[in-house]
PDB file of all heavy atoms in Angstrom:
ATOM      1  N   SER F1398       2.524   3.270  -1.070  1.00 90.00           N
ATOM      2  CA  SER F1398       3.906   2.724  -0.980  1.00 90.00           C
ATOM      3  C   SER F1398       4.319   2.386  -2.322  1.00 90.00           C
ATOM      4  O   SER F1398       3.470   2.326  -3.278  1.00 90.00           O
ATOM      5  CB  SER F1398       3.785   1.578  -0.036  1.00 90.00           C
ATOM      6  OG  SER F1398       4.981   0.810  -0.086  1.00 90.00           O
ATOM      7  N   ARG F1399       5.593   2.400  -2.492  1.00 92.00           N
ATOM      8  CA  ARG F1399       6.232   1.937  -3.636  1.00 92.00           C
ATOM      9  C   ARG F1399       6.014   0.428  -3.904  1.00 92.00           C
ATOM     10  O   ARG F1399       5.867  -0.011  -4.978  1.00 92.00           O
ATOM     11  CB  ARG F1399       7.815   2.043  -3.591  1.00 92.00           C
ATOM     12  CG  ARG F1399       8.283   3.536  -3.629  1.00 92.00           C
ATOM     13  CD  ARG F1399       9.822   3.562  -3.566  1.00 92.00           C
ATOM     14  NE  ARG F1399      10.045   4.919  -3.234  1.00 92.00           N
ATOM     15  CZ  ARG F1399      11.131   5.350  -2.849  1.00 92.00           C
ATOM     16  NH1 ARG F1399      12.157   4.416  -2.395  1.00 92.00           N
ATOM     17  NH2 ARG F1399      11.460   6.602  -2.555  1.00 92.00           N
ATOM     18  N   VAL F1400       5.729  -0.203  -2.857  1.00 93.00           N
ATOM     19  CA  VAL F1400       5.346  -1.682  -2.824  1.00 93.00           C
ATOM     20  C   VAL F1400       3.766  -1.716  -2.876  1.00 93.00           C
ATOM     21  O   VAL F1400       3.110  -1.398  -1.727  1.00 93.00           O
ATOM     22  CB  VAL F1400       5.823  -2.395  -1.647  1.00 93.00           C
ATOM     23  CG1 VAL F1400       5.403  -3.978  -1.748  1.00 93.00           C
ATOM     24  CG2 VAL F1400       7.450  -2.411  -1.530  1.00 93.00           C
ATOM     25  N   ARG F1401       3.193  -2.122  -3.831  1.00 91.00           N
ATOM     26  CA  ARG F1401       1.826  -2.091  -4.125  1.00 91.00           C
ATOM     27  C   ARG F1401       0.992  -2.745  -2.999  1.00 91.00           C
ATOM     28  O   ARG F1401      -0.088  -2.302  -2.477  1.00 91.00           O
ATOM     29  CB  ARG F1401       1.284  -2.543  -5.368  1.00 91.00           C
ATOM     30  CG  ARG F1401      -0.118  -2.394  -5.707  1.00 91.00           C
ATOM     31  CD  ARG F1401      -0.540  -2.677  -7.093  1.00 91.00           C
ATOM     32  NE  ARG F1401       0.131  -1.750  -7.989  1.00 91.00           N
ATOM     33  CZ  ARG F1401       0.120  -1.589  -9.289  1.00 91.00           C
ATOM     34  NH1 ARG F1401      -0.525  -2.676  -9.907  1.00 91.00           N
ATOM     35  NH2 ARG F1401       0.628  -0.671  -9.925  1.00 91.00           N
ATOM     36  N   ASP F1402       1.530  -3.884  -2.257  1.00 91.00           N
ATOM     37  CA  ASP F1402       0.904  -4.585  -1.344  1.00 91.00           C
ATOM     38  C   ASP F1402       0.716  -3.870  -0.060  1.00 91.00           C
ATOM     39  O   ASP F1402       0.106  -4.197   0.878  1.00 91.00           O
ATOM     40  CB  ASP F1402       1.461  -5.994  -1.117  1.00 91.00           C
ATOM     41  CG  ASP F1402       1.368  -6.897  -2.324  1.00 91.00           C
ATOM     42  OD1 ASP F1402       0.540  -6.642  -3.171  1.00 91.00           O
ATOM     43  OD2 ASP F1402       2.172  -7.961  -2.412  1.00 91.00           O
ATOM     44  N   LYS F1403       1.632  -2.896   0.115  1.00 91.00           N
ATOM     45  CA  LYS F1403       1.581  -2.118   1.309  1.00 91.00           C
ATOM     46  C   LYS F1403       0.543  -0.889   1.370  1.00 91.00           C
ATOM     47  O   LYS F1403       0.395  -0.152   2.200  1.00 91.00           O
ATOM     48  CB  LYS F1403       2.931  -1.526   1.568  1.00 91.00           C
ATOM     49  CG  LYS F1403       4.065  -2.537   1.743  1.00 91.00           C
ATOM     50  CD  LYS F1403       3.959  -3.379   3.025  1.00 91.00           C
ATOM     51  CE  LYS F1403       5.106  -4.362   3.246  1.00 91.00           C
ATOM     52  NZ  LYS F1403       4.967  -5.072   4.402  1.00 91.00           N
ATOM     53  N   ASN F1404       0.128  -0.715   0.080  1.00 94.00           N
ATOM     54  CA  ASN F1404      -1.038   0.400   0.015  1.00 94.00           C
ATOM     55  C   ASN F1404      -2.161   0.025   0.934  1.00 94.00           C
ATOM     56  O   ASN F1404      -2.656  -0.995   1.077  1.00 94.00           O
ATOM     57  CB  ASN F1404      -1.462   0.661  -1.367  1.00 94.00           C
ATOM     58  CG  ASN F1404      -0.411   1.113  -2.257  1.00 94.00           C
ATOM     59  OD1 ASN F1404       0.578   1.639  -1.748  1.00 94.00           O
ATOM     60  ND2 ASN F1404      -0.635   1.075  -3.579  1.00 94.00           N
ATOM     61  N   ALA F1405      -2.742   1.134   1.548  1.00 95.00           N
ATOM     62  CA  ALA F1405      -3.938   0.967   2.441  1.00 95.00           C
ATOM     63  C   ALA F1405      -4.882   2.170   2.465  1.00 95.00           C
ATOM     64  O   ALA F1405      -4.384   3.189   2.354  1.00 95.00           O
ATOM     65  CB  ALA F1405      -3.474   0.546   3.946  1.00 95.00           C
ATOM     66  N   ILE F1406      -6.058   1.911   2.613  1.00 96.00           N
ATOM     67  CA  ILE F1406      -7.019   2.960   2.903  1.00 96.00           C
ATOM     68  C   ILE F1406      -7.700   2.620   4.236  1.00 96.00           C
ATOM     69  O   ILE F1406      -8.245   1.567   4.438  1.00 96.00           O
ATOM     70  CB  ILE F1406      -8.058   3.023   1.689  1.00 96.00           C
ATOM     71  CG1 ILE F1406      -7.448   3.430   0.393  1.00 96.00           C
ATOM     72  CG2 ILE F1406      -9.251   3.956   2.129  1.00 96.00           C
ATOM     73  CD1 ILE F1406      -8.399   3.310  -0.789  1.00 96.00           C
ATOM     74  N   TYR F1407      -7.727   3.676   5.119  1.00 97.00           N
ATOM     75  CA  TYR F1407      -8.335   3.503   6.408  1.00 97.00           C
ATOM     76  C   TYR F1407      -9.579   4.361   6.496  1.00 97.00           C
ATOM     77  O   TYR F1407      -9.598   5.494   6.120  1.00 97.00           O
ATOM     78  CB  TYR F1407      -7.420   3.946   7.512  1.00 97.00           C
ATOM     79  CG  TYR F1407      -6.156   3.060   7.582  1.00 97.00           C
ATOM     80  CD1 TYR F1407      -4.969   3.194   6.913  1.00 97.00           C
ATOM     81  CD2 TYR F1407      -6.277   1.968   8.533  1.00 97.00           C
ATOM     82  CE1 TYR F1407      -3.903   2.361   7.092  1.00 97.00           C
ATOM     83  CE2 TYR F1407      -5.200   1.126   8.784  1.00 97.00           C
ATOM     84  CZ  TYR F1407      -4.027   1.258   8.003  1.00 97.00           C
ATOM     85  OH  TYR F1407      -2.897   0.555   8.170  1.00 97.00           O
ATOM     86  N   ARG F1408     -10.724   3.727   6.856  1.00 97.00           N
ATOM     87  CA  ARG F1408     -11.949   4.333   6.982  1.00 97.00           C
ATOM     88  C   ARG F1408     -12.501   4.071   8.414  1.00 97.00           C
ATOM     89  O   ARG F1408     -12.136   3.183   9.122  1.00 97.00           O
ATOM     90  CB  ARG F1408     -13.051   3.745   6.047  1.00 97.00           C
ATOM     91  CG  ARG F1408     -12.707   3.776   4.548  1.00 97.00           C
ATOM     92  CD  ARG F1408     -13.656   3.170   3.732  1.00 97.00           C
ATOM     93  NE  ARG F1408     -13.305   3.349   2.359  1.00 97.00           N
ATOM     94  CZ  ARG F1408     -13.600   4.317   1.623  1.00 97.00           C
ATOM     95  NH1 ARG F1408     -14.237   5.319   2.085  1.00 97.00           N
ATOM     96  NH2 ARG F1408     -13.286   4.373   0.295  1.00 97.00           N
ATOM     97  N   THR F1409     -13.337   5.181   8.795  1.00 97.00           N
ATOM     98  CA  THR F1409     -14.046   4.962  10.100  1.00 97.00           C
ATOM     99  C   THR F1409     -15.022   3.723  10.058  1.00 97.00           C
ATOM    100  O   THR F1409     -15.572   3.600   9.049  1.00 97.00           O
ATOM    101  CB  THR F1409     -14.766   6.218  10.473  1.00 97.00           C
ATOM    102  OG1 THR F1409     -15.635   6.651   9.462  1.00 97.00           O
ATOM    103  CG2 THR F1409     -13.687   7.363  10.766  1.00 97.00           C
ATOM    104  N   ARG F1410     -15.074   3.185  11.130  1.00 96.00           N
ATOM    105  CA  ARG F1410     -15.929   1.866  11.196  1.00 96.00           C
ATOM    106  C   ARG F1410     -17.165   1.904  11.977  1.00 96.00           C
ATOM    107  O   ARG F1410     -18.000   1.055  11.810  1.00 96.00           O
ATOM    108  CB  ARG F1410     -15.043   0.674  11.861  1.00 96.00           C
ATOM    109  CG  ARG F1410     -13.751   0.527  11.151  1.00 96.00           C
ATOM    110  CD  ARG F1410     -12.890  -0.551  11.798  1.00 96.00           C
ATOM    111  NE  ARG F1410     -12.536  -0.106  13.012  1.00 96.00           N
ATOM    112  CZ  ARG F1410     -12.013  -0.898  13.985  1.00 96.00           C
ATOM    113  NH1 ARG F1410     -11.873  -2.052  13.720  1.00 96.00           N
ATOM    114  NH2 ARG F1410     -11.666  -0.443  15.141  1.00 96.00           N
ATOM    115  N   ARG F1411     -17.446   2.909  12.824  1.00 96.00           N
ATOM    116  CA  ARG F1411     -18.678   3.035  13.581  1.00 96.00           C
ATOM    117  C   ARG F1411     -19.344   4.479  13.354  1.00 96.00           C
ATOM    118  O   ARG F1411     -18.851   5.318  12.794  1.00 96.00           O
ATOM    119  CB  ARG F1411     -18.271   2.796  15.044  1.00 96.00           C
ATOM    120  CG  ARG F1411     -17.828   1.497  15.395  1.00 96.00           C
ATOM    121  CD  ARG F1411     -17.474   1.336  16.860  1.00 96.00           C
ATOM    122  NE  ARG F1411     -16.171   1.847  17.127  1.00 96.00           N
ATOM    123  CZ  ARG F1411     -15.001   1.190  16.968  1.00 96.00           C
ATOM    124  NH1 ARG F1411     -14.984  -0.037  16.361  1.00 96.00           N
ATOM    125  NH2 ARG F1411     -13.851   1.578  17.317  1.00 96.00           N
ATOM    126  N   GLU F1412     -20.471   4.483  13.976  1.00 97.00           N
ATOM    127  CA  GLU F1412     -21.296   5.838  13.963  1.00 97.00           C
ATOM    128  C   GLU F1412     -20.528   6.617  14.863  1.00 97.00           C
ATOM    129  O   GLU F1412     -19.938   6.308  15.949  1.00 97.00           O
ATOM    130  CB  GLU F1412     -22.711   5.551  14.369  1.00 97.00           C
ATOM    131  CG  GLU F1412     -23.547   4.780  13.464  1.00 97.00           C
ATOM    132  CD  GLU F1412     -23.632   5.226  12.110  1.00 97.00           C
ATOM    133  OE1 GLU F1412     -23.776   6.526  11.922  1.00 97.00           O
ATOM    134  OE2 GLU F1412     -23.719   4.472  11.198  1.00 97.00           O
ATOM    135  N   ALA F1413     -20.412   7.971  14.504  1.00 97.00           N
ATOM    136  CA  ALA F1413     -19.700   8.954  15.150  1.00 97.00           C
ATOM    137  C   ALA F1413     -20.429   9.207  16.503  1.00 97.00           C
ATOM    138  O   ALA F1413     -21.639   9.108  16.578  1.00 97.00           O
ATOM    139  CB  ALA F1413     -19.480  10.259  14.488  1.00 97.00           C
ATOM    140  N   LYS F1414     -19.694   9.660  17.607  1.00 97.00           N
ATOM    141  CA  LYS F1414     -20.300  10.082  18.778  1.00 97.00           C
ATOM    142  C   LYS F1414     -20.942  11.499  18.607  1.00 97.00           C
ATOM    143  O   LYS F1414     -21.979  11.824  19.138  1.00 97.00           O
ATOM    144  CB  LYS F1414     -19.161  10.155  19.929  1.00 97.00           C
ATOM    145  CG  LYS F1414     -18.496   8.756  20.315  1.00 97.00           C
ATOM    146  CD  LYS F1414     -19.605   7.944  20.977  1.00 97.00           C
ATOM    147  CE  LYS F1414     -18.997   6.542  21.327  1.00 97.00           C
ATOM    148  NZ  LYS F1414     -20.091   5.723  21.755  1.00 97.00           N
ATOM    149  N   ASP F1415     -20.220  12.415  17.922  1.00 97.00           N
ATOM    150  CA  ASP F1415     -20.690  13.707  17.666  1.00 97.00           C
ATOM    151  C   ASP F1415     -20.001  14.415  16.516  1.00 97.00           C
ATOM    152  O   ASP F1415     -18.835  14.595  16.593  1.00 97.00           O
ATOM    153  CB  ASP F1415     -20.369  14.540  18.968  1.00 97.00           C
ATOM    154  CG  ASP F1415     -21.183  15.817  19.040  1.00 97.00           C
ATOM    155  OD1 ASP F1415     -21.413  16.578  17.976  1.00 97.00           O
ATOM    156  OD2 ASP F1415     -21.466  16.320  20.050  1.00 97.00           O
ATOM    157  N   THR F1416     -20.889  14.597  15.482  1.00 97.00           N
ATOM    158  CA  THR F1416     -20.331  15.169  14.237  1.00 97.00           C
ATOM    159  C   THR F1416     -20.405  16.741  14.189  1.00 97.00           C
ATOM    160  O   THR F1416     -20.024  17.369  13.292  1.00 97.00           O
ATOM    161  CB  THR F1416     -21.027  14.662  12.981  1.00 97.00           C
ATOM    162  OG1 THR F1416     -22.377  14.860  13.097  1.00 97.00           O
ATOM    163  CG2 THR F1416     -20.657  13.169  12.954  1.00 97.00           C
ATOM    164  N   GLN F1417     -20.982  17.266  15.258  1.00 97.00           N
ATOM    165  CA  GLN F1417     -21.307  18.775  15.249  1.00 97.00           C
ATOM    166  C   GLN F1417     -20.479  19.588  16.320  1.00 97.00           C
ATOM    167  O   GLN F1417     -20.379  20.786  16.167  1.00 97.00           O
ATOM    168  CB  GLN F1417     -22.902  19.025  15.441  1.00 97.00           C
ATOM    169  CG  GLN F1417     -23.728  18.429  14.275  1.00 97.00           C
ATOM    170  CD  GLN F1417     -23.442  18.923  13.027  1.00 97.00           C
ATOM    171  OE1 GLN F1417     -23.244  20.070  12.701  1.00 97.00           O
ATOM    172  NE2 GLN F1417     -23.119  17.937  12.008  1.00 97.00           N
ATOM    173  N   ILE F1418     -20.082  18.923  17.161  1.00 98.00           N
ATOM    174  CA  ILE F1418     -19.383  19.676  18.369  1.00 98.00           C
ATOM    175  C   ILE F1418     -18.209  20.557  17.744  1.00 98.00           C
ATOM    176  O   ILE F1418     -17.354  19.902  17.030  1.00 98.00           O
ATOM    177  CB  ILE F1418     -18.971  18.767  19.508  1.00 98.00           C
ATOM    178  CG1 ILE F1418     -18.599  19.609  20.681  1.00 98.00           C
ATOM    179  CG2 ILE F1418     -17.899  17.846  19.062  1.00 98.00           C
ATOM    180  CD1 ILE F1418     -18.350  18.834  22.000  1.00 98.00           C
ATOM    181  N   PRO F1419     -18.176  21.794  18.120  1.00 98.00           N
ATOM    182  CA  PRO F1419     -16.980  22.610  17.718  1.00 98.00           C
ATOM    183  C   PRO F1419     -15.630  21.893  18.218  1.00 98.00           C
ATOM    184  O   PRO F1419     -15.635  21.655  19.429  1.00 98.00           O
ATOM    185  CB  PRO F1419     -17.195  23.932  18.291  1.00 98.00           C
ATOM    186  CG  PRO F1419     -18.691  24.012  18.294  1.00 98.00           C
ATOM    187  CD  PRO F1419     -19.009  22.566  18.704  1.00 98.00           C
ATOM    188  N   LEU F1420     -14.712  21.795  17.459  1.00 98.00           N
ATOM    189  CA  LEU F1420     -13.415  21.044  17.829  1.00 98.00           C
ATOM    190  C   LEU F1420     -12.267  21.928  17.430  1.00 98.00           C
ATOM    191  O   LEU F1420     -12.166  22.302  16.242  1.00 98.00           O
ATOM    192  CB  LEU F1420     -13.374  19.727  17.040  1.00 98.00           C
ATOM    193  CG  LEU F1420     -12.162  18.806  17.180  1.00 98.00           C
ATOM    194  CD1 LEU F1420     -12.115  18.359  18.705  1.00 98.00           C
ATOM    195  CD2 LEU F1420     -12.399  17.569  16.282  1.00 98.00           C
ATOM    196  N   VAL F1421     -11.331  22.008  18.373  1.00 98.00           N
ATOM    197  CA  VAL F1421      -9.999  22.559  18.255  1.00 98.00           C
ATOM    198  C   VAL F1421      -8.897  21.476  18.439  1.00 98.00           C
ATOM    199  O   VAL F1421      -9.025  20.929  19.590  1.00 98.00           O
ATOM    200  CB  VAL F1421      -9.599  23.828  18.935  1.00 98.00           C
ATOM    201  CG1 VAL F1421      -8.336  24.339  18.727  1.00 98.00           C
ATOM    202  CG2 VAL F1421     -10.676  24.972  18.520  1.00 98.00           C
ATOM    203  N   VAL F1422      -8.022  21.229  17.624  1.00 98.00           N
ATOM    204  CA  VAL F1422      -6.851  20.304  17.885  1.00 98.00           C
ATOM    205  C   VAL F1422      -5.609  21.166  18.037  1.00 98.00           C
ATOM    206  O   VAL F1422      -5.146  21.743  17.086  1.00 98.00           O
ATOM    207  CB  VAL F1422      -6.783  19.256  16.712  1.00 98.00           C
ATOM    208  CG1 VAL F1422      -5.656  18.322  17.004  1.00 98.00           C
ATOM    209  CG2 VAL F1422      -8.061  18.504  16.491  1.00 98.00           C
ATOM    210  N   LEU F1423      -4.964  21.024  19.151  1.00 98.00           N
ATOM    211  CA  LEU F1423      -3.685  21.547  19.330  1.00 98.00           C
ATOM    212  C   LEU F1423      -2.651  20.749  18.973  1.00 98.00           C
ATOM    213  O   LEU F1423      -2.446  19.504  19.434  1.00 98.00           O
ATOM    214  CB  LEU F1423      -3.623  21.951  20.881  1.00 98.00           C
ATOM    215  CG  LEU F1423      -4.681  22.878  21.491  1.00 98.00           C
ATOM    216  CD1 LEU F1423      -4.414  23.113  22.912  1.00 98.00           C
ATOM    217  CD2 LEU F1423      -4.725  24.175  20.760  1.00 98.00           C
ATOM    218  N   VAL F1424      -1.560  21.240  18.299  1.00 98.00           N
ATOM    219  CA  VAL F1424      -0.429  20.540  17.836  1.00 98.00           C
ATOM    220  C   VAL F1424       0.779  21.420  18.062  1.00 98.00           C
ATOM    221  O   VAL F1424       0.819  22.570  18.200  1.00 98.00           O
ATOM    222  CB  VAL F1424      -0.429  20.050  16.391  1.00 98.00           C
ATOM    223  CG1 VAL F1424      -1.596  19.077  16.209  1.00 98.00           C
ATOM    224  CG2 VAL F1424      -0.612  21.200  15.400  1.00 98.00           C
ATOM    225  N   ASP F1425       2.013  20.755  18.125  1.00 96.00           N
ATOM    226  CA  ASP F1425       3.160  21.489  18.049  1.00 96.00           C
ATOM    227  C   ASP F1425       4.279  20.821  17.237  1.00 96.00           C
ATOM    228  O   ASP F1425       3.909  19.774  16.565  1.00 96.00           O
ATOM    229  CB  ASP F1425       3.772  21.762  19.535  1.00 96.00           C
ATOM    230  CG  ASP F1425       4.062  20.480  20.284  1.00 96.00           C
ATOM    231  OD1 ASP F1425       4.154  19.444  19.714  1.00 96.00           O
ATOM    232  OD2 ASP F1425       4.301  20.592  21.547  1.00 96.00           O
ATOM    233  N   LYS F1426       5.621  21.178  17.366  1.00 94.00           N
ATOM    234  CA  LYS F1426       6.581  20.528  16.560  1.00 94.00           C
ATOM    235  C   LYS F1426       6.809  19.010  17.033  1.00 94.00           C
ATOM    236  O   LYS F1426       7.447  18.323  16.186  1.00 94.00           O
ATOM    237  CB  LYS F1426       7.793  21.283  16.682  1.00 94.00           C
ATOM    238  CG  LYS F1426       8.534  21.312  17.942  1.00 94.00           C
ATOM    239  CD  LYS F1426       9.821  22.149  18.002  1.00 94.00           C
ATOM    240  CE  LYS F1426      10.368  22.155  19.412  1.00 94.00           C
ATOM    241  NZ  LYS F1426      11.607  22.837  19.353  1.00 94.00           N
ATOM    242  N   ASN F1427       6.394  18.689  18.013  1.00 93.00           N
ATOM    243  CA  ASN F1427       6.523  17.220  18.507  1.00 93.00           C
ATOM    244  C   ASN F1427       5.389  16.433  18.331  1.00 93.00           C
ATOM    245  O   ASN F1427       5.360  15.264  18.657  1.00 93.00           O
ATOM    246  CB  ASN F1427       6.991  17.270  19.963  1.00 93.00           C
ATOM    247  CG  ASN F1427       8.251  17.970  20.316  1.00 93.00           C
ATOM    248  OD1 ASN F1427       9.247  17.726  19.579  1.00 93.00           O
ATOM    249  ND2 ASN F1427       8.363  18.893  21.207  1.00 93.00           N
ATOM    250  N   SER F1428       4.330  16.987  17.670  1.00 95.00           N
ATOM    251  CA  SER F1428       3.162  16.192  17.266  1.00 95.00           C
ATOM    252  C   SER F1428       3.424  15.563  15.853  1.00 95.00           C
ATOM    253  O   SER F1428       3.707  16.125  14.912  1.00 95.00           O
ATOM    254  CB  SER F1428       1.887  17.085  17.026  1.00 95.00           C
ATOM    255  OG  SER F1428       1.668  17.792  18.299  1.00 95.00           O
ATOM    256  N   ALA F1429       3.488  14.093  15.847  1.00 94.00           N
ATOM    257  CA  ALA F1429       3.964  13.334  14.724  1.00 94.00           C
ATOM    258  C   ALA F1429       3.100  12.197  14.500  1.00 94.00           C
ATOM    259  O   ALA F1429       2.356  11.738  15.313  1.00 94.00           O
ATOM    260  CB  ALA F1429       5.395  13.034  14.959  1.00 94.00           C
ATOM    261  N   SER F1430       3.415  11.521  13.376  1.00 94.00           N
ATOM    262  CA  SER F1430       2.742  10.413  12.989  1.00 94.00           C
ATOM    263  C   SER F1430       1.252  10.306  13.145  1.00 94.00           C
ATOM    264  O   SER F1430       0.557  11.034  12.453  1.00 94.00           O
ATOM    265  CB  SER F1430       3.388   9.211  13.835  1.00 94.00           C
ATOM    266  OG  SER F1430       3.044   7.916  13.515  1.00 94.00           O
ATOM    267  N   ALA F1431       0.724   9.516  14.018  1.00 97.00           N
ATOM    268  CA  ALA F1431      -0.759   9.374  14.256  1.00 97.00           C
ATOM    269  C   ALA F1431      -1.372  10.867  14.612  1.00 97.00           C
ATOM    270  O   ALA F1431      -2.590  11.108  14.172  1.00 97.00           O
ATOM    271  CB  ALA F1431      -0.983   8.351  15.311  1.00 97.00           C
ATOM    272  N   SER F1432      -0.618  11.633  15.251  1.00 97.00           N
ATOM    273  CA  SER F1432      -1.104  12.958  15.580  1.00 97.00           C
ATOM    274  C   SER F1432      -1.380  13.782  14.342  1.00 97.00           C
ATOM    275  O   SER F1432      -2.245  14.480  14.281  1.00 97.00           O
ATOM    276  CB  SER F1432      -0.093  13.655  16.509  1.00 97.00           C
ATOM    277  OG  SER F1432       0.000  13.197  17.729  1.00 97.00           O
ATOM    278  N   GLU F1433      -0.508  13.567  13.362  1.00 97.00           N
ATOM    279  CA  GLU F1433      -0.561  14.255  12.128  1.00 97.00           C
ATOM    280  C   GLU F1433      -1.760  13.799  11.258  1.00 97.00           C
ATOM    281  O   GLU F1433      -2.364  14.388  10.608  1.00 97.00           O
ATOM    282  CB  GLU F1433       0.664  14.115  11.225  1.00 97.00           C
ATOM    283  CG  GLU F1433       1.931  14.846  11.891  1.00 97.00           C
ATOM    284  CD  GLU F1433       3.153  14.545  11.283  1.00 97.00           C
ATOM    285  OE1 GLU F1433       3.693  13.238  11.094  1.00 97.00           O
ATOM    286  OE2 GLU F1433       3.917  15.475  10.895  1.00 97.00           O
ATOM    287  N   ILE F1434      -1.988  12.358  11.345  1.00 97.00           N
ATOM    288  CA  ILE F1434      -2.999  11.746  10.668  1.00 97.00           C
ATOM    289  C   ILE F1434      -4.473  12.403  11.311  1.00 97.00           C
ATOM    290  O   ILE F1434      -5.368  12.718  10.520  1.00 97.00           O
ATOM    291  CB  ILE F1434      -3.075  10.265  10.879  1.00 97.00           C
ATOM    292  CG1 ILE F1434      -1.884   9.790  10.002  1.00 97.00           C
ATOM    293  CG2 ILE F1434      -4.385   9.620  10.504  1.00 97.00           C
ATOM    294  CD1 ILE F1434      -1.634   8.178  10.258  1.00 97.00           C
ATOM    295  N   VAL F1435      -4.522  12.554  12.569  1.00 98.00           N
ATOM    296  CA  VAL F1435      -5.780  12.876  13.164  1.00 98.00           C
ATOM    297  C   VAL F1435      -5.955  14.389  12.887  1.00 98.00           C
ATOM    298  O   VAL F1435      -6.922  14.837  12.483  1.00 98.00           O
ATOM    299  CB  VAL F1435      -5.722  12.683  14.871  1.00 98.00           C
ATOM    300  CG1 VAL F1435      -6.910  13.498  15.450  1.00 98.00           C
ATOM    301  CG2 VAL F1435      -5.822  11.323  15.101  1.00 98.00           C
ATOM    302  N   SER F1436      -4.881  15.230  13.125  1.00 98.00           N
ATOM    303  CA  SER F1436      -4.995  16.647  12.875  1.00 98.00           C
ATOM    304  C   SER F1436      -5.329  16.938  11.395  1.00 98.00           C
ATOM    305  O   SER F1436      -6.122  17.822  10.977  1.00 98.00           O
ATOM    306  CB  SER F1436      -3.863  17.518  13.319  1.00 98.00           C
ATOM    307  OG  SER F1436      -2.674  17.030  12.809  1.00 98.00           O
ATOM    308  N   GLY F1437      -4.592  16.188  10.459  1.00 97.00           N
ATOM    309  CA  GLY F1437      -4.861  16.395   9.033  1.00 97.00           C
ATOM    310  C   GLY F1437      -6.117  16.027   8.623  1.00 97.00           C
ATOM    311  O   GLY F1437      -6.760  16.670   7.833  1.00 97.00           O
TER     312      GLY F1437
END
């Protein structure tokens, strides 16, 4: 952010359920915000 206090880093907090399963994420023009974070 332009405001330094608003900067943040988000990390996973727990052990993953499955780091190997093949995964496809479906998105479209209406996938926004948190959907973009997950797919990205």
